[in-house]
Structure formats: structure tokens, C-alpha cells
Amino acid sequence: MPDTVDGLIREHAIRHPDKAAVIDPAARITYGELDADTRALAAGLLEAGVDKRHRVGLIMPNGVGWARIALALMRIGVVLVPLSTLLSARELTAQLRTASVQHLIAVEEFRGRRYRDGLEPSALPALRTVRTPDDLAAATSAVADAMSRSVRPADPLAILFTSGSSGPPKGVWHSHGSAIGAVRSGLAARCIDADTRLYLPMPFFWVGGFGGGLLSALVAGATLVTEPVPQPDSTLHLLDTEQVTLFRGWPDQAEALARRRAETGAALSSLRPGSLDALLPEQRRARPGARARLFGMTESFGPYCGYPADTDMPRSAWGSCGQPFDGTEVRIADPDTGAPAAPGAVGMIQIRGPHVLRGICRRSREEVFTPDGYYPTGDLGHLDDDGFLFFHGRCDDMFKVSGASVYPGEVEQALRTLDDVDAAFVTNVSDGAANRVGAVVVCRTPTAPEALRTAAKSVLSSFKVPTIWRIVQGDDDIPRRGTGKVDVERLRDLLRDD
């Protein structure tokens, strides 16, 4: 199978030229059209002064247009820098500078943001041109065709900025080979094949949308269905009319869609197992903890650990993230010393292999990797005897209670095994002198904190049992950042109010 974007597009254009590649509410494009359009657009970009290994920033909402431009750039070896539509002018300037972007392609406006307003040219010495998508023209060029065929798997593909749970975002770069290899290694676990019609709400500027959506469809030869602004009614209509077979995304979005489904009359009859449970019939849903929680990050170009999403794991592995995919080595290290941890012990997850990031902007290799080539992820976990990975939170999330270590992920996992508990979010609540364990818990039915505390004592050591509780009825009540990640500070505020 090809290991460059150009090779993948050419192959699918030959195999199934009339199959839809990308669909949005306003447009669609087949693999044959995608091949022709991106080839012509690449030629036009070359004539406009964009060359191989130039770094090009792209700011657009999800859709066929984003896919056409991004794939045209990557076909000729340009380094794509997907940029968030949520960025302020200051944040955008910082990311353009970090990635040394030479050309910027940005829509004039999206959801009230005008991206060219407020840019600081004096702070961007590398930036040469700023264009809108409408400024791009098609052309014909034998040079462009020859250049696309010259791209190799080791050539840089993209620089992706992490969403940043703490600290400034990092510009993580991947090659064609590392990104495509990472996607290919996880397709089976994510239940994606050539017959899949995949809906995924994540923006293309995050690895979840770019790798998990666009490149996943391209590697598998599947059809990707997307939309610029997901809304329950429009999304349900899209899922039905486009006969989407696989819905992957945020659990809270699936829950919101499920609540609106009856009112809209959406059948969702094409959805198959592997989709998020909330949208599947009751009898086709998995038992809590039975399916793997696909686990990955920008630095691994998406999931590096999982298990077939339509299949229960062995009972001993319930609650785990599954097993590492082919091509990624996982080891557990002592967070303080970096030495390998004892078998079964909780420690920092380190990853190595051909699918892992190639580097981070403005950092040396020695700053990014261990001497033997592992990337320290900052995540905590342990491997069981069968190689299943259990996630225990972030290294910087761990806190002490009476001198003992509490890992929020471990407590959350235990609480999710309790009757009536759909989700749990755990953090420390400090009074200035000592930490207490706090939990915000999503329950199916009204439940008293005392009942949960009693039940938690059967699955947790006493010092890990939350002493501060907040019971909520839905995931919509959980405070989140714009990235979808839980806002820990606001979570603590909720718990302090109780």
C-alpha cells in the first residue's frame, strides 16, 4: 500500500473513481474528482510560489474545500500546518512563528473571527504571502506531477499543534510514512474499511479530525462525511441522508443526538457496531468497560492503543485502553528517574516506533526523546500481563492525600464500575493545607452521595474514596474547554461549591 498522500489518491482514483471521498452538507467529491482537482490545484500553487517543503498554514472549517486544499499541498511535498479556527490573533501569530509558516491560506471570516485582522507582520519574518481559498487557481503542470511522484515516506507531511492541556501548544511534526502508518495500524480497531461511511465531528485542525477522519478515509478508501458546524438536528439529518455507517466522536455529542433523535424522527438505521453506544439500539450496546477506550495523542498521530471497537475485550482487560497497535512500542517508566517500572506498576507511558512523531518545532532531538528513542508522553498507566494498557491520568494530575499518591484516572475507572454511574471526573480539592479527593459523577438516576461513597469503598482503598461529591444528570454538566477536554479548574470550582 502507498505510504504517501499522492500514492493513496492515485490508487483510489484508479480503484473506485466514482466513490464519494468527502461529503459535506453543501458539496461532495469523488476519488476521481479528488485526484484531478488536487493535481490541478497543486500545479496552481506551484505557479503561485508555493514549493516543496514550504510550510503552509490553513484556516478553514471542515468540508470538501479544506480537504481539496490540504491534499493538494501534501501531494507535492508541502508541509501542511492546520490551524485552529478558534485562535485569537495573538495565538495565531505565535503558532505561525513557532512553525515558521511561509504561506497562510485563511478564510476571510468564520463564526465571527477574522483571521487576518490583528496579525503582526513584524513578528513573522518567515511569512511571505497571505491568501484566501478563493485566491487559489488551478493550472496544468508536468512539474507538479513529477514533484508529487518524488515525495517519499520520510518527507515531512504536517505540523500539528497539540490542544495543550497545560502550557503553550507544541508544534508536532510527522512524515508521510509516520502519519499514514499510524492511521493504517489502527483502522481495524476503529472498524474502518473501504465500505465505511464515516462521520466524525472533530475539526480537521486537530489530529482527531485530520488523522482520525480525513486520512483514515483516504488510507482505507472509505467515505468521510463532515460538516463545518455540528448541530444536533443538522447532524442527525446528515447521518440519515448519507447513510453513515460509523459514528465516532465525543460521547457527549452522541448523548445530545440521542436525546433529539425521537423528535426529529431520525432512523440511523445504517449505523453499525463500533459507533458510539448512545446512538445504537439498546441490545447492540456494550456493557460498561467492555470495549477499549481508544488511546492516543497528537504525538502518536492519533490512537496507538486499542481493540476492535465492536468487540468485548477479555474480562480481565475491561476498563483498559486495549493493546498497543503494531508499530508502536510501549513501556512504563518511573516518572522521577525514567528507569523502567516494575511489571504491573503505574508509571509514565513512553512510546517508540516508526509511527511516533518525528520531532517538535524548535526543540532538539535530545529534548524530545530519551537516549534510546522513546517519547515520554506525560501520561500515567500500567500494562497487565497480557499487554493491555490501563490509563491512570496525567503525571501532573497525580496528587497526595496523607502522603499517599492518588491517580485521578484510577479512581475514575473504579467509579465507572458502580451501578448507575455513566461517567466520573476526579481531581483534588485543596483547602490550602491538605488535599481531598473530589468527584463529579454522571448518574442515570438520582443518587445520594452517601450511597456512592459506600459503594466506592468496595472498589477503592480508603484514602482514594472521594470525600467531596457532585452528582449531575448528564455529560453536558461537565465543564469543558474549547478542545473538548475537561476544564479541571472549573471542575474544582464545582466541587468547592458543594
Side-chain angles (χ1 to χ4, degrees):
M1 289 288 289
D3 288 316
T4 66
V5 165
D6 178 70
L8 289 168
I9 293 174
R10 290 178 188 274
E11 176 170 294
H12 294 310
I14 292 170
R15 286 191 177 187
H16 33 239
D18 298 325
K19 177 192 281 191
V22 183
I23 297 170
D24 68 33
R28 62 184 61 223
I29 190 168
T30 67
Y31 276 103
E33 292 167 338
L34 191 66
D35 180 37
D37 285 6
T38 56
R39 187 177 297 180
L41 187 54
L45 287 161
L46 279 175
E47 288 190 0
V50 178
D51 210 341
K52 186 176 183 180
R53 289 188 179 258
H54 280 186
R55 299 180 178 193
V56 178
L58 180 60
I59 309 178
M60 291 179 70
N62 280 21
V64 170
W66 198 104
R68 287 178 66 253
I69 295 172
L71 294 171
L73 291 165
M74 292 183 286
R75 286 193 79 163
I76 54 173
V78 172
V79 183
L80 176 69
V81 186
L83 295 162
S84 172
T85 57
L86 306 174
L87 294 176
S88 66
R90 185 168 178 270
E91 292 168 327
L92 175 57
T93 298
Q95 292 192 10
L96 291 172
R97 184 171 60 248
T98 296
S100 298
V101 167
Q102 292 147 299
H103 306 276
L104 175 62
I105 301 170
V107 292
E108 287 283 2
E109 183 272 341
F110 179 62
R111 304 190 78 177
R113 294 181 184 270
R114 299 183 61 83
Y115 302 102
R116 297 198 284 184
D117 294 350
L119 280 182
E120 304 169 29
S122 61
L124 300 169
L127 189 62
R128 303 178 188 177
T129 65
V130 179
R131 299 180 175 91
T132 70
D134 292 337
D135 295 331
L136 305 181
T140 302
S141 169
V143 174
D145 201 48
M147 187 176 290
S148 66
R149 292 182 182 276
S150 74
V151 175
R152 297 291 177 258
D155 287 337
L157 172 82
I159 294 171
L160 294 167
F161 282 91
T162 63
S163 55
S165 57
S166 61
K170 297 176 291 187
V172 176
W173 72 271
H174 283 273
S175 67
H176 283 253
S178 67
I180 291 170
V183 168
R184 186 175 286 134
S185 71
L187 286 181
R190 294 167 56 223
C191 300
I192 298 175
D193 58 28
D195 295 325
T196 301
R197 294 176 71 85
L198 169 68
Y199 175 89
L200 196 127
M202 281 81 165
F204 290 164
F205 54 75
W206 289 334
V207 73
F210 180 42
L214 183 61
L215 285 193
S216 290
L218 183 61
V219 172
T223 297
L224 176 66
V225 180
T226 188
E227 56 186 332
V229 184
Q231 297 289 347
D233 287 5
S234 61
T235 299
L236 286 167
H237 177 73
L238 198 60
L239 297 177
D240 252 1
T241 57
E242 296 299 341
Q243 297 183 309
V244 167
T245 62
L246 189 65
F247 180 100
R248 304 294 304 175
W250 292 295
D252 55 335
Q253 186 202 23
E255 294 284 352
L257 293 174
R259 289 193 292 270
R260 286 289 299 158
R261 179 178 176 179
E263 295 179 45
T264 62
L268 306 186
S269 56
S270 297
L271 288 181
R272 67 191 189 200
S275 300
L276 292 184
D277 276 345
L279 295 178
L280 294 174
E282 189 75 36
Q283 66 273 16
R284 299 171 73 183
R285 298 181 187 178
R287 290 166 290 176
R291 304 285 167 84
R293 300 160 58 203
L294 287 171
F295 189 63
M297 60 199 316
T298 302
E299 291 88 338
S300 60
F301 207 76
Y304 64 84
C305 196
Y307 201 80
D310 59 356
T311 305
D312 288 359
M313 296 182 291
R315 189 64 181 84
S316 61
W318 283 23
S320 79
C321 303
Q323 297 168 307
F325 296 147
D326 289 344
T328 301
E329 300 175 65
V330 173
R331 76 176 177 191
I332 308 299
D334 183 287
D336 297 319
T337 67
V346 173
M348 185 192 291
I349 302 169
Q350 299 182 343
I351 57 176
R352 180 175 72 177
H355 307 158
V356 174
L357 75 160
R358 305 291 89 187
I360 294 176
C361 292
R362 301 179 184 270
R363 296 193 191 180
S364 68
R365 182 172 179 82
E366 291 73 24
E367 292 177 284
V368 175
F369 300 100
T370 64
D372 55 353
Y374 280 89
Y375 175 71
T377 66
D379 292 324
L380 293 166
H382 83 270
L383 289 165
D384 72 5
D385 292 340
D386 297 314
F388 285 88
L389 179 67
F390 289 78
F391 175 61
H392 292 277
R394 293 283 298 171
C395 288
D396 48 10
D397 289 340
M398 186 272 287
F399 58 91
K400 299 277 189 178
V401 171
S402 301
S405 298
V406 175
Y407 299 100
E410 178 185 12
V411 179
E412 290 168 356
Q413 180 183 318
L415 295 180
R416 285 195 298 268
T417 67
L418 303 181
D419 291 342
D420 261 356
V421 173
D422 278 337
F425 304 88
V426 172
T427 188
N428 63 309
V429 181
S430 174
D431 61 6
N435 282 317
R436 299 172 67 188
V437 183
V440 178
V441 179
V442 179
C443 290
R444 298 183 202 101
T445 59
T447 307
E450 191 54 44
L452 285 175
R453 185 180 295 114
T454 300
K457 290 178 181 177
S458 66
V459 293
L460 287 166
S461 300
S462 58
F463 70 91
K464 300 176 185 176
V465 174
T467 57
I468 305 175
W469 298 81
R470 179 72 175 257
I471 315 301
V472 297
Q473 297 302 308
D475 198 79
D476 290 346
D477 297 320
I478 304 300
R480 295 185 183 275
R481 297 170 161 227
T483 62
K485 293 183 178 180
V486 172
D487 188 322
V488 177
E489 284 303 319
R490 289 172 57 204
L491 198 71
R492 291 192 182 106
D493 290 342
L494 273 181
L495 291 162
R496 290 190 185 103
D497 290 341
D498 278 11

